[in-house]
Amino acid sequence: MNIVIVGCGNVGATLAEHISNENHRVSVVDKKEKVVENLSDTIDVYGIVGNGTSLNVLEEAGAKNCDLFIAVMESDEMNLLACLIAKNLGAKTLIARVGNPEYGNEIASIKESLGLNMIINPHQASAREMARLLKYPSALDVDQFVRTKVELVSYKLTADSPLCNLHLKDFGAKYSSNILIPVIERDDEVIVPGGDFEMQEGDIVSVFGPMDETKRFFEKIGIPISSAHNAMIVGGGRTCIYLAKTLVAMGIDVKIIEKDEVECDRLTEMLGKATVIQGDATDKALLLEEGIEDVDAFIANTNLDEENIMLALYAKKVSKAKVITKVHRTSYDDIIDSLDIGSVIYPKYIMAERIVKFIRSKNHDEGNNIVSLYQLSDTRVEAIEFKVDEKVPFINKPISEVNIKKGIILGCVNHQGNISIATGSTVIEPGDTVVIITTKKGVHKLSDIVK
């Protein structure tokens, strides 16, 4: 596909990297010459310096009759204008970043009137991810499949975990045959474990299975599964607005700490049921006064990565809260991974997931539609849900007869609402949905999993 990306900030640069890795022809546009040069030197993209809403610049970038046009500049209005110009140039598919909560009730109308195929909102998507994480206080990551009926939950083994020193071949008999551990991250290595693999303290273990089964499993091993009753959010930007609305609707008491007086007034007006405190959250006395030691959840959500990391470390020290930390840059992700700052949210990775899924779904020439796609372990692992039709080469065969590539696990099959972990005797039929977990790149279709 020929793809044009306008805007090379955190989201745009990450999109360019991910999409170019999918073997598409990518052009990028940004006003900042240094940003474009750095991106062009780092990955295989054609860079143009200029205004993303200029007709001549967009023509030079190849927007005329391109397969996909993506506008992810900081300004919502500029993104919509760029898409309108690209549409008039003949761009076939249009995606715009629109993040302002004030447009929330108008998104459907905007999408329809401008002929957009997709609107992405990194603030809303990040808020949804944060809210989902509060379901399992001990989880580092939670992804859902089959209309939320199947979960992939990642958490770190502590020294007192009953899974420590347990071989994977003994796991099913001890806990559940309908639960799978498809991926384990140890140190900096991502492993698709075999039966002889022995789990150890410090491993990040991904547990996969139907929701009821995963709940029972976590209860058995003594992991808390009750949702938070109250939450403290530091930083009152757009993500905070979406998150607070979601948490209030879930019945969670929300307290927001924001230093800007004007922003506090705006939050109070938009979030009537949330408590808004004006103050500097880097002041430990303020955090203690507002009850950080007793909160169930703490979300570090300022615009400064360093501040978020510092606040998360402090929350971990003084409370037993579920800690969520928003991080924009990934330059020091190896250092961040070594810190105990709870679940880390990277908004740009969330956006990349959504658009990569969209692109792959448009390439389902063999009828294997992608239903959902999540990237784990710093994008080194993908979990993909496919819908199956008659063109899949191994339908109506037992899985034991299918030569599946190394590094790919067939996780579960949903057959007419009956969900089961895949075994050698499992047979996939048209109309089923299946979830695969893989460390291999380039799985665009279900047929890609076989040798």
Side-chain angles (χ1 to χ4, degrees), residues 132-205:
R132 191 164 63 212
L133 283 166
L134 295 182
K135 181 179 179 181
Y136 289 107
S138 299
L140 295 175
D141 196 7
V142 180
D143 296 312
Q144 296 177 322
F145 306 87
V146 194
R147 297 180 181 178
T148 73
K149 295 178 181 177
V150 176
E151 295 178 321
L152 182 63
V153 182
S154 301
Y155 80 107
K156 193 170 187 175
L157 295 191
T158 56
D160 59 349
S161 171
L163 297 190
C164 286
N165 305 317
L166 179 69
H167 288 88
L168 209 60
K169 61 186 176 184
D170 301 322
F171 174 81
K174 188 170 183 179
Y175 292 106
S176 171
S177 59
N178 212 27
I179 289 284
L180 187 66
I181 296 183
V183 176
I184 292 175
E185 188 174 345
R186 177 174 292 173
D187 298 326
D188 197 37
E189 185 181 4
V190 175
I191 304 163
V192 177
D196 291 331
F197 186 89
E198 184 179 21
M199 292 176 278
Q200 297 177 4
E201 177 188 356
D203 287 349
I204 297 177
V205 175

Side-chain angles (χ1 to χ4, degrees), residues 258-277:
E258 164 62 41
K259 65 175 67 174
D260 184 82
E261 183 179 358
V262 174
E263 185 66 18
C264 284
D265 291 340
R266 177 170 175 252
L267 290 167
T268 301
E269 182 180 348
M270 296 186 71
L271 305 168
K273 293 186 178 180
T275 302
V276 181
I277 307 295

Side-chain angles (χ1 to χ4, degrees), residues 4-261:
V4 177
I5 301 173
V6 177
C8 297
N10 283 324
V11 173
T14 303
L15 283 176
E17 180 181 357
H18 283 231
I19 294 172
S20 65
N21 288 337
E22 300 275 314
N23 296 320
H24 298 289
R25 291 180 292 277
V26 181
S27 298
V28 297
V29 179
D30 198 277
K31 286 183 178 180
K32 298 177 182 177
E33 183 176 358
K34 187 175 181 180
V35 170
V36 173
E37 287 181 354
N38 288 341
L39 201 55
S40 301
D41 291 342
T42 305
I43 59 177
D44 185 17
V45 296
Y46 174 56
I48 299 97
V49 179
N51 187 340
T53 59
S54 163
L55 179 66
N56 292 332
V57 170
L58 293 185
E59 281 188 326
E60 182 185 354
K64 189 173 184 178
N65 299 317
C66 69
D67 297 301
L68 176 59
F69 182 88
I70 307 170
V72 285
M73 294 175 281
E74 288 298 321
S75 167
D76 294 346
E77 293 75 18
M78 295 281 278
N79 290 331
L80 295 173
L81 177 58
C83 282
L84 185 58
I85 295 170
K87 180 182 179 182
N88 291 333
L89 285 173
K92 297 180 178 66
T93 304
L94 304 166
I95 297 176
R97 169 181 173 168
V98 180
N100 193 333
E102 293 178 4
Y103 290 133
N105 296 327
E106 304 167 16
I107 288 297
S109 176
I110 292 171
K111 183 178 176 184
E112 182 179 357
S113 60
L114 294 183
L116 303 178
N117 299 85
M118 184 180 186
I119 288 180
I120 58 172
N121 186 334
H123 309 292
Q124 186 179 51
S126 297
R128 287 175 177 168
E129 184 81 6
M130 292 173 179
R132 191 164 63 212
L133 283 166
L134 295 182
K135 181 179 179 181
Y136 289 107
S138 299
L140 295 175
D141 196 7
V142 180
D143 296 312
Q144 296 177 322
F145 306 87
V146 194
R147 297 180 181 178
T148 73
K149 295 178 181 177
V150 176
E151 295 178 321
L152 182 63
V153 182
S154 301
Y155 80 107
K156 193 170 187 175
L157 295 191
T158 56
D160 59 349
S161 171
L163 297 190
C164 286
N165 305 317
L166 179 69
H167 288 88
L168 209 60
K169 61 186 176 184
D170 301 322
F171 174 81
K174 188 170 183 179
Y175 292 106
S176 171
S177 59
N178 212 27
I179 289 284
L180 187 66
I181 296 183
V183 176
I184 292 175
E185 188 174 345
R186 177 174 292 173
D187 298 326
D188 197 37
E189 185 181 4
V190 175
I191 304 163
V192 177
D196 291 331
F197 186 89
E198 184 179 21
M199 292 176 278
Q200 297 177 4
E201 177 188 356
D203 287 349
I204 297 177
V205 175
S206 295
V207 178
F208 179 83
M211 183 185 297
D212 292 343
E213 292 282 349
T214 57
K215 282 183 178 179
R216 280 194 288 270
F217 164 70
F218 283 116
E219 287 174 347
K220 282 182 181 179
I221 64 172
I223 297 294
I225 60 171
S226 57
S227 299
H229 296 97
N230 54 70
M232 179 181 289
I233 306 172
V234 175
R238 292 177 175 180
T239 301
C240 172
I241 293 172
Y242 287 112
L243 177 60
K245 285 183 176 180
T246 302
L247 297 186
V248 167
M250 293 167 59
I252 295 175
D253 293 330
V254 176
K255 181 176 289 186
I256 302 165
I257 299 178
E258 164 62 41
K259 65 175 67 174
D260 184 82
E261 183 179 358

